[in-house]
Amino acid sequence: MNNKNSCVAILSQTWLLLVNVVFLGTAGVALFTGITMFQQSTSQIGSVDNRDIAIGLMAYGSFIGITAIMGCTGAIMKSPHVLTFFMAGLTIDLLILLGCGIYGILGLNSRKQNVVSASLSDWNQRHSTENDLVQQIFECCGFDSQDGSAYTGPSTDPNGQSIANPCAQPNTRPGCHQQVPVVFDYYIRILISVLAIGTVVSLISLWSAHKARKQKRAIAKGFANADKASAQRLLKA
């Protein structure tokens, strides 16, 4: 094996080990988040059942964890069979990531368009607790920033201390009709970045696994040819 192939082999093995350690961490975060969401059962606003999302996170986290273990094992043992399973699992992971990411981007964009096309009457028809939750999450006030009576939440905290109305005039918070689309755009950009990084990392990992598998097979073939040549020499002797 020449120096170039040796360097490529070392880099491929190192990359696989490092990336799969990161994958194990990602799997742990996904499992922890999924378990936490499942324990909460339903979302705060009650319009989305978090149990489905939680089960999906736990399943995806488990699959990533298994794939990462195969990747680490294949990199250390340089087993072509284990690396083949790792490549298959990583390909499935990448397809799931792309599918969920694109679905999430389309969903966020649809929600953003619903907010953009909403009117003041739509806002007023919503229950006050839902509007309060939106204002707390997105740090906005009413349909527009001039709605000083928008917040209808508690006036005291659990300790009995008074809570200032964050939407009392004068306030510097934007209206939810303007703020929510901005936040959705921010989340969409994050999802696009995650998809781009995840795709690049996965493709490099697939290439590294392919090179490591190819190297191991080449070494095995070399040993086989050497043994065959030795056997032929012994037969001729």
Side-chain angles (χ1 to χ4, degrees), residues 105 108-109 183-193:
I105 290 172
L108 286 174
N109 187 66
V183 176
F184 277 147
D185 283 335
Y186 172 72
Y187 288 147
I188 289 173
R189 287 195 296 270
I190 290 178
L191 274 177
I192 292 174
S193 300

Side-chain angles (χ1 to χ4, degrees), residues 141-162:
C141 285
F143 187 76
D144 59 58
S145 59
Q146 303 304 315
D147 188 354
S149 61
Y151 182 74
T152 60
S155 58
T156 58
D157 62 20
N159 296 323
Q161 301 294 324
S162 62

Side-chain angles (χ1 to χ4, degrees), residues 18-28 64-65 67-68 86 90 201-202 205:
L18 292 176
V19 166
N20 282 292
V21 168
V22 175
F23 284 166
L24 282 173
T26 303
I64 292 178
T67 302
F86 164 72
L90 186 58
V201 170
S202 297
S205 299

